[in-house]
C-alpha cells in the first residue's frame, strides 16, 4: 500500500541553502564629515600656540619687574645707561623742547591713545560686530589699567633724570608702547583683510619702533622699559585673542552669512 505524500512546507531562513554571489557586495560608503560653515576673513583667527606664547611674554615681563623690585641696578642697567648716553649725545644741540613729531607720538601714547580704541569700538558695535568690539575693549582699553598699572607698582622703577615731557611715577613698563602694540594688533585682527594685513604689520612695526625711540629720546623711559611695554602688550593681545577665539569665529561665520545681529 503506497504511503501518503507529505505536504510540502516552505523552508525557513535557517534551512535554506546559502547562495554565494559571484559579485562582492559594495563596501559601505566612507564617512564624510559635515562641511564647515563658510567663514569671512574678518576677524582673523589666532595663530597656533598663541596662548602659550602670550603667557610666556607676560611671565617674562613679570620676571623682569620682580628683578627690578629686588635690585635697583639689574644686569641690563648698563645697556640702559649706554643707550641713554647715546641719546643725550645725539640731542646735545636740542633746545630741550620736543619737536612736532615727538609731541604727536606723546599725545598718541597718552589720552588720545584711549580715544582711538573707543572710536573703533563704537564703529564695530554700529555694524553689529560686538564680539570684535569686546576684543578691542579688553585688549586696548581695559588691559591698560588691569595689566600695566599693577606691573608699574610692582617694579616701582624711577624715571630717567630730567624728562622733557610730563610723566607720572613708574617707568617700567612703558604704557605708551603697550598702547601702541595693542592698537596695532587689534586693528590687524578686526579691520584689515589678509592682503592688506601684511602692509599693516610693516607700518605697525615702524610705528611701535618710533614710539619706543621717542620715549627714550624724550628721557621719559629707559630702553628696557619700552621693550617690556612691547612684550607685555603683545602677550596680553595674544592671550585675549586665543580666549575670545570662539566668539570671533562665530562672528566670522555670521559675517559670511550676513546674520551679524543674531
Amino acid at each position: 500500500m503506497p504511503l501518503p505524500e507529505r505536504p510540502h512546507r516552505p523552508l525557513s531562513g535557517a534551512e535554506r541553502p546559502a547562495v554565494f554571489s559571484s559579485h562582492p557586495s559594495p563596501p559601505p560608503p566612507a564617512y564624510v564629515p559635515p562641511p564647515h560653515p563658510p567663514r569671512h576673513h574678518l576677524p582673523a583667527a589666532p595663530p597656533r600656540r598663541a596662548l602659550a606664547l602670550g603667557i610666556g611674554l607676560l611671565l617674562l615681563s613679570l620676571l623682569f619687574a620682580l628683578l627690578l623690585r629686588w635690585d635697583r641696578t639689574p644686569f641690563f642697567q648698563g645697556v640702559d645707561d649706554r643707550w641713554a648716553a647715546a641719546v643725550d649725545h645725539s640731542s646735545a644741540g636740542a633746545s630741550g623742547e620736543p619737536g612736532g613729531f615727538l609731541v604727536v607720538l606723546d599725545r598718541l601714547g597718552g589720552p588720545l591713545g584711549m580715544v582711538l580704541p573707543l572710536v573703533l569700538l563704537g564703529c564695530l558695535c554700529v555694524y553689529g560686530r560686538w564680539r570684535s568690539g569686546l576684543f578691542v575693549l579688553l585688549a586696548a582699553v581695559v588691559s591698560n589699567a588691569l595689566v600695566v598699572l599693577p606691573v608699574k607698582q610692582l617694579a616701582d622703577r624711577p624715571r630717567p633724570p630730567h624728562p622733557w615731557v610730563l610723566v607720572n611715577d613708574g617707568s617700567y613698563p612703558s604704557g605708551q608702547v603697550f598702547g601702541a602694540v595693542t592698537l596695532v594688533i587689534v586693528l590687524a585682527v578686526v579691520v584689515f583683510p589678509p592682503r592688506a594685513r601684511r602692509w599693516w604689520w610693516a607700518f605697525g612695526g615702524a610705528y611701535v619702533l618710533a614710539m619706543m625711540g621717542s620715549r627714550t629720546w624724550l628721557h621719559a623711559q629707559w630702553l628696557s622699559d619700552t621693550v617690556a611695554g612691547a612684550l607685555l602688550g603683545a602677550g596680553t593681545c595674544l592671550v585675549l585673542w586665543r580666549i575670545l577665539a570662539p566668539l570671533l569665529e562665530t562672528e566670522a561665520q555670521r559675517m559670511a552669512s550676513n546674520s551679524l545681529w543674531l
Side-chain angles (χ1 to χ4, degrees):
M1 180 176 181
L3 296 175
E5 294 183 0
R6 294 181 178 180
H8 294 285
R9 62 181 181 85
L11 296 177
S12 63
E15 296 173 340
R16 291 176 182 173
V19 178
F20 297 96
S21 174
S22 59
H23 302 286
S25 60
Y31 172 74
V32 179
H36 293 285
R39 188 191 192 282
H40 197 268
H41 56 264
L42 288 176
R48 291 183 177 180
R49 302 178 182 175
L51 184 61
L53 179 59
I55 293 175
L57 294 177
L58 293 177
L59 291 177
L60 183 61
S61 304
L62 186 61
L63 177 64
F64 282 111
L66 292 172
L67 183 61
L68 286 168
R69 185 74 176 188
W70 292 333
D71 186 4
R72 291 301 178 185
T73 56
F75 66 91
F76 51 83
Q77 185 62 48
V79 177
D80 286 337
D81 292 337
R82 286 192 292 272
W83 180 265
V87 170
D88 288 339
H89 180 74
S90 300
S91 61
S95 60
E97 294 292 333
F101 180 64
L102 297 178
V103 170
V104 171
L105 290 177
D106 184 60
R107 297 295 184 271
L108 286 175
L112 186 59
M114 289 290 100
V115 173
L116 295 178
L118 292 175
V119 171
L120 176 61
L121 169 62
C123 294
L124 291 171
C125 292
V126 166
Y127 285 96
R129 298 182 58 188
W130 61 267
R131 299 168 184 84
S132 290
L134 179 62
F135 173 64
V136 173
L137 177 65
L138 294 177
V141 180
V142 177
S143 63
N144 209 309
L146 298 184
V147 177
V148 176
L149 294 183
V151 177
K152 278 182 177 289
Q153 294 178 355
L154 176 63
D156 193 23
R157 190 183 195 185
R159 298 270 183 175
H162 312 299
W164 289 7
V165 291
L166 183 64
V167 293
N168 54 14
D169 296 333
S171 184
Y172 180 99
S174 172
Q176 283 78 3
V177 176
F178 179 92
V181 170
T182 55
L183 182 62
V184 167
I185 294 179
V186 297
L187 284 172
V189 173
V190 305
V191 173
F192 290 99
R195 184 170 298 179
R197 196 177 298 140
R198 302 187 187 99
W199 296 100
W200 173 249
W201 285 128
F203 175 81
Y207 169 63
V208 171
L209 289 176
M211 182 65 75
M212 295 171 67
S214 71
R215 300 308 293 169
T216 58
W217 182 272
L218 294 172
H219 304 81
Q221 279 161 324
W222 305 100
L223 177 63
S224 57
D225 301 335
T226 63
V227 175
L231 297 180
L232 201 63
T236 301
C237 284
L238 286 173
V239 170
L240 291 174
W241 193 0
R242 185 64 191 88
I243 291 175
L244 298 178
L247 280 178
L248 299 177
E249 180 68 20
T250 300
E251 181 179 293
Q253 294 172 3
R254 293 188 175 181
M255 285 183 67
S257 60
N258 293 323
S259 58
L260 276 176
W261 292 102
L262 299 179

